[in-house]
Amino acid sequence: MVRKLIGIDLGGTTTKLGFLTDSGEILDKWAITTDVSANGSHIVPNIIESITKKMENSDHKIDDFVGIGMGTPGSVDREAGTVIGAYNLNWKTTQKIKDQIEQALGLPFSIDNDANVASLGEYWQGAGSKDSDVVFVTLGTGVGGGVIINGELAHGINGGAGEIGHITVEPGGFMCTCGKRGCLEQYASATGVINVAKSLSTEFTGNSRLKEMINTGEEITSKIVFFLADNGDIFANQVVDRVCYFLGLALANVGNTLNPGNIVIGGGVSNAGNTLLQPTTKYFQENAFRPVRDSTKIRLAQLGNDAGVIGAASLALRNTQK
């Protein structure tokens, strides 16, 4: 009998769920809206109800499953199975996730930070699956990261390992939500790309659709910036080059510290593909120690939106193997 796993990728607007085999094949996947009202008190009951209903309406039975894994925003206590400080979920107080889910579904439950869990997904089934040392960086609304050494996630003494988004790339630079200045997150996330575009626009004097949009107060997104760069907008290309400089510099520092087989770039901004990858790789190579430059590869993530669910299932599998 195939041992099945449940993966949960909890996000601020959507929660993705999946049933998988223990070899990482997705058998069934779906999504529900994350209801953050009433201090996020509906989130876990809605997940339990959704899993229960999915089983009732399919040929999956609870006895087929060996565990549940979840990736979540916020500060995670992996042993206790609790989360605190997930402000986009309205979880300001400690949430006892593990207790609620194990009690309702009767399966062993594992939980970790969402960026760590996405890293496990790419490590297990995606761009990092051929190496035991992989660093994953996700460029979304913010910048997250995960570090896998000898096949195991690195957490650090206080859970702060892999916080690549808070590497300082511009001392005294843009103010970050974390309270310090010059973090990578303020330069290479979706919002960071816009920060860089607005900052550089004051100096640019040529013709540019992107410059026009900024001047007239039109809404710009990182997607628009990369699209215009692809279509020959000189200023948009300057912005992309600057963003990739900061990203390449940060990844070179990561590479020099850990020398992983792969540094995998995922998240929404990575959809820019080679427009992001090529200049980032160039700046990585310029700033990396030669033996690191010659061995660590920069790659794009392969799993897209499935990385979190696959990684969460992998977390559950690891828990059963302890």
Side-chain angles (χ1 to χ4, degrees):
M1 184 190 83
V2 176
R3 299 190 309 160
K4 296 176 188 174
L5 308 162
I6 299 173
I8 306 165
D9 179 15
L10 177 56
T13 52
T14 305
T15 301
K16 302 178 194 74
L17 303 101
F19 294 158
L20 293 87
T21 66
D22 61 0
S23 59
E25 179 194 352
I26 296 176
L27 301 169
D28 212 335
K29 65 175 179 175
W30 71 102
I32 59 173
T33 301
T34 305
D35 180 357
V36 300
S37 65
N39 292 324
S41 59
H42 302 298
I43 293 173
V44 175
N46 286 351
I47 288 170
I48 292 165
E49 183 188 5
S50 181
I51 290 170
T52 305
K53 274 188 179 169
K54 196 72 173 178
M55 285 189 188
E56 285 171 0
N57 298 329
S58 67
D59 57 358
H60 302 291
K61 299 178 192 66
I62 198 79
D63 293 345
D64 300 340
F65 292 87
V66 293
I68 304 171
M70 178 193 274
T72 177
S75 185
V76 178
D77 182 325
R78 291 173 296 121
E79 296 304 315
T82 61
V83 182
I84 192 169
Y87 299 109
N88 59 342
L89 303 174
N90 275 336
W91 280 352
K92 300 178 183 78
T93 58
T94 301
Q95 306 291 312
K96 297 180 178 179
I97 317 290
K98 179 183 171 85
D99 289 353
Q100 290 179 73
I101 288 183
E102 286 191 345
Q103 200 170 348
L105 297 173
L107 291 170
F109 176 80
S110 312
I111 191 167
D112 209 325
N113 169 270
D114 48 4
N116 281 344
V117 166
S119 309
L120 281 179
E122 287 290 341
Y123 171 75
W124 191 26
Q125 296 294 325
S129 59
K130 293 178 176 61
D131 294 282
S132 59
D133 295 293
V134 182
V135 173
F136 181 72
V137 55
T138 173
L139 311 177
T141 310
V143 173
V147 175
I148 295 171
I149 300 170
N150 292 330
E152 295 295 331
L153 268 172
H155 290 95
I157 193 72
N158 196 31
E163 287 290 356
I164 293 164
H166 299 290
I167 291 174
T168 302
V169 292
E170 182 84 317
F174 300 138
M175 176 62 77
C176 184
T177 53
C178 78
K180 72 182 188 74
R181 290 185 176 274
C183 293
L184 177 66
E185 183 165 294
Q186 295 305 310
Y187 294 85
S189 64
T191 44
V193 173
I194 298 164
N195 289 343
V196 172
K198 288 180 175 174
S199 172
L200 293 182
S201 71
T202 56
E203 302 162 19
F204 185 81
T205 54
N207 291 324
S208 159
R209 175 68 186 124
L210 178 59
K211 166 86 170 177
E212 268 176 42
M213 291 176 77
I214 293 169
N215 285 351
T216 57
E218 288 180 65
E219 187 187 352
I220 62 166
T221 62
S222 60
K223 192 174 179 181
I224 287 169
V225 173
F226 280 100
F227 173 79
L228 290 172
D230 278 338
N231 285 276
D233 187 301
I234 294 169
F235 175 54
N237 273 292
Q238 287 183 10
V239 172
V240 168
D241 186 72
R242 194 78 180 136
V243 167
C244 293
Y245 163 75
F246 287 121
L247 181 58
L249 175 64
L251 298 186
N253 290 334
V254 170
N256 289 348
T257 307
L258 297 170
N259 190 203
N262 284 304
I263 298 176
V264 179
I265 305 173
V269 177
S270 74
N271 292 334
N274 279 333
T275 308
L276 175 80
L277 183 66
Q278 286 174 346
T280 298
T281 301
K282 179 186 83 167
Y283 288 118
F284 168 81
Q285 290 176 341
E286 282 180 13
N287 288 287
F289 180 50
R290 183 175 289 178
V292 171
R293 183 196 71 194
D294 295 343
S295 55
T296 294
K297 301 285 180 284
I298 310 289
R299 302 183 66 185
L300 292 172
Q302 295 174 352
L303 300 179
N305 284 335
D306 290 339
V309 165
I310 291 172
S314 146
L315 200 62
L317 182 64
R318 285 164 176 257
N319 193 33
T320 66
Q321 293 169 341
K322 282 180 183 174

